[in-house]
Amino acid sequence: EAEMFTRQAVRSSILVASVSSIGRVEGFAVDRRGVFSIRNLVRNVGLPNSHHFPSGSTRSSVGAAADPARRLFASASGGGDKSAKPRVLSRISVTQNDGKLLRIRHRSESTNTDMTFGLFLPSAHKNILRSKMQSIPALYWLSGLTCDDSNFSAKAGAFASADREGIALIIPDTSPRGDDVANDDNYDLGQGAGFYVDATEEPWSSHFKMYTYITKELPALVEEYYGVGVDAKSIAGHSMGGHGALTIAFKDPASWASVSAFAPIAHPTKCGWGEKAFKAYFNSIDAGKDHDATVLLESNGPFAPFDDILIDQGLDDEFLAEGQLCPEALEAAAESVGQKLTLRRHENYDHSYYFISSFMDDHIQFHAKRLKKAQGLKLASTSANASGSGQSDTAGRPIQCQAMVARAPKEPLSLETITVDPPKAGEVRVKVMANALCHTDIYTLEGYDPEGLFPCILGHEAGCIVESVGEGVTSVAVGDHVIPCYTPQCAQPSCIFCQSPKTNLCPTIRGTQGAGVMPDGTKRFRDKDGEDIYHFMGCSTMSEYTVLSEISCANISKEAPLEKACLFGCGVSTGLGAVWNTCKVETDSSVAVFGLGAVGLAVIQGAKMAGASKIIAVDINPKKFDTAIRLGATDCVDSSKLDTPVQQHIAGDLTPWGVDYSFDCTGNTEVMRAALECAHRGWGTSCVIGVAASGHEISTRPFQLVTGRIWKGTAFGGFKSRTDVPKLVDKMISGELPIDHYITHTFDGVGKTNAAIDALHSGDCLRAVVQY
């Protein structure tokens, strides 16, 4: 009857929804050429939400009618194709952004059978197949007993999240299959139950080589043919697949960026499923210890590459109650060796894909963060593998990546796939690892910047790794860690600004930088339609890759975490430099700081380090006062609560004649005036740091200047970027200059930049760092 329905489907190109006499066949797609995409094999009859057969059931008990359909599937999807080259059986769009799910068959040398696997390619890399562009980071998913690749694809709900994060998913089968492959009547042994080991006992040893297949053959194939997982790969799984993911990662932790699992068989040598499998495949339970996650962790842990291991377990899982999973043993092993392991227990969740789909986004994000970090570290070492050329594998070619594009003022940023062209002479292409949001970005996004151009890619406070360099670049090399600096330093003998100790305002690329282009007058960003996108401040770091002028790159120590060092790209450096360079605050000076954002707090920190004895912190948000006091403020003033102007309160109530130095960090012209007028009669200096909106002007009575006050401003704190930023980073590394307190919010993935902007607007945020 199954064959009859299938012949009718082939004639009419319909989707078979169900076959009454054999139960449910979900997503049995058939076309006129006989190419099949089966979302849930007939063997899952009666188990639409769980991948296991009921306890004690056998394959024969499912129903004889399943056999014709199974034979039909085997003939349609693969028996006997001896070609080693992979063949795409189906290719469908599975996300709104056109992420693709491929179902692929190939001849396996490991199992000596045809093997089928699923491959999800995110939309951000739709053109990468068979190309020589950058690799897609990959997450391998290992499924549980009785499953094949289609169960996860149909039920896990993983593709949208993976698409957002820009990672590929590789979904192998759980065992070799075929008429000549050994099998067992029970669901927990044989086909669909390979346990991700290399069997040593007949009849299993001829084909059941799943450990070799997963760890060697399949990665080599997807790397060669699809450009996936070359730079970074992670692994996860469910139940038997969770066992496989954990043991594979624990046996070779250097090869995997991260590992996680749902309801894993965590101690298989101490449970029925594992004992049965190891007796059959190894003729010994004891031999299975080399594939027991708990034993491996106890013996070889902790595993340095894994800063955490994520495990989710449903408390209504019937197999937890039966003692098949043993998560508590794994948890105890982790504690005994000092391995961080996060075991989350969830009430009212069972063993099904309902459970998996509920928390899949968490696992995707968990792996995406670590995959991107691993990919960045791999990129940092590519110079050693660049065939002596000093370039990376992607040098000279366009790179596709994700970026947040500002299409128009006062509109949310748009997450888009863009093309970043190679660097030209004197330019550097970098992979952005972390980007901190600065109010200058928001100032432009909200339409206040007279030089604001749209569409553009904002961002200028980042930590990056050099991916490739253009002709003539000598100060940085592939793999170097750099901070993009919107204030460049050409350091040429002919540049009177670079040669003068009085300023850091090198004008070499000022004209093109303000016009949103590179020094040669052209752009390096294109959207999906091939249209150019403007650069911003010579940086444009709200993109996974960007191109900089060499003279804008500060080469820093690789010891510094880029998610912290990025703060030296603007705000923190500006505040410190205003104190140390622009005003040169002396010991025992008095200081007033208006505005307690990151820049204002950096002024307080710098003033304290300079030896100021009185530091007055002024803001209308009292929540910021605790941090100001910790950094060195001696007095805090909520200017909104005063009955008199704040300048009179400072120069009269708090001091007799005013402060030696005052700093405006607000960009408000009225506050700038107040800062000047609270400066000490005869010698007080007031420094403007905040950037006012376009068209705004400052004013005061000339008498304020006649009586000895000095009004000055600063850009990037007067630091000469390429010379001084590396020194600031070294101070951070040594502990002399702590900066952790500025990072109040963190986000993972360039796509979270709008959320970071919301945090910046909240009033409680100093710096929101987005790690790519």
Side-chain angles (χ1 to χ4, degrees), residues 246-306:
L246 292 169
T247 56
I248 286 171
F250 290 176
K251 286 168 73 67
D252 185 16
S255 292
W256 305 93
S258 51
V259 60
S260 74
F262 289 87
I265 303 173
H267 201 4
T269 57
K270 297 296 183 180
C271 77
W273 280 337
E275 291 175 357
K276 180 177 181 179
F278 294 153
K279 282 180 182 178
Y281 297 144
F282 300 136
N283 195 32
S284 165
I285 297 174
D286 194 60
K289 289 181 178 179
D290 197 37
H291 295 273
D292 184 314
T294 297
V295 174
L296 290 169
L297 185 54
E298 287 175 336
S299 303
N300 304 327
F303 302 111
F306 305 139

Side-chain angles (χ1 to χ4, degrees), residues 9 98 110 145 150 156 218 291 318 322 332-333 430 456 483 532 542 553 602 609 622 650 658 717 737:
D98 203 28
S110 304
L145 292 166
S150 59
L218 185 57
H291 295 273
E318 61 179 300
E322 290 179 8
V430 298
C456 71
I483 302 296
D532 286 345
M542 290 184 185
C553 295
M609 294 175 70
I650 293 174
L737 180 57

Side-chain angles (χ1 to χ4, degrees), residues 209-243:
K209 303 291 184 182
M210 290 301 294
Y211 181 81
T212 298
Y213 177 71
I214 297 297
T215 60
K216 294 187 168 110
E217 184 176 4
L218 185 57
L221 184 144
V222 295
E223 289 173 17
E224 177 182 357
Y225 285 94
Y226 302 102
V228 165
V230 177
D231 297 328
K233 61 183 185 289
S234 293
I235 193 165
H238 172 223
S239 193
M240 179 186 72
H243 140 78

Side-chain angles (χ1 to χ4, degrees), residues 40-57:
N40 201 4
L41 291 180
V42 177
R43 66 176 178 277
N44 289 335
V45 170
L47 297 169
N49 299 316
S50 176
H51 68 271
H52 290 299
F53 286 96
S55 300
S57 69

Side-chain angles (χ1 to χ4, degrees), residues 99-126:
K100 289 289 195 297
L101 174 63
L102 285 65
R103 201 158 194 251
I104 301 166
R105 186 182 71 235
H106 70 106
R107 187 69 184 178
S108 168
E109 294 183 1
S110 304
T111 66
N112 195 28
T113 65
D114 288 348
M115 295 294 289
T116 301
F117 67 93
L119 171 62
F120 170 74
L121 293 171
S123 56
H125 301 281
K126 66 178 69 172

Side-chain angles (χ1 to χ4, degrees), residues 443 446-450 666-669 672 690-698:
Y443 169 82
E446 293 181 349
Y448 299 128
D449 185 352
T666 68
N668 183 306
T669 55
M672 294 176 191
V691 179
S694 177
H696 287 218
E697 298 179 348
I698 57 174

Side-chain angles (χ1 to χ4, degrees), residues 94-95 101 120 122 139 141 151-171 236 262 353 356-365:
V94 291
T95 69
L101 174 63
F120 170 74
L139 173 60
W141 173 267
N151 300 76
F152 177 86
S153 298
K155 296 180 178 181
F159 298 140
S161 183
D163 201 29
R164 286 192 300 271
E165 298 292 349
I167 63 174
L169 301 175
I170 300 167
I171 314 152
F262 289 87
Y353 267 92
I356 295 172
S357 63
S358 296
F359 301 100
M360 179 54 66
D361 280 3
D362 291 351
H363 284 248
I364 295 291
Q365 291 170 19

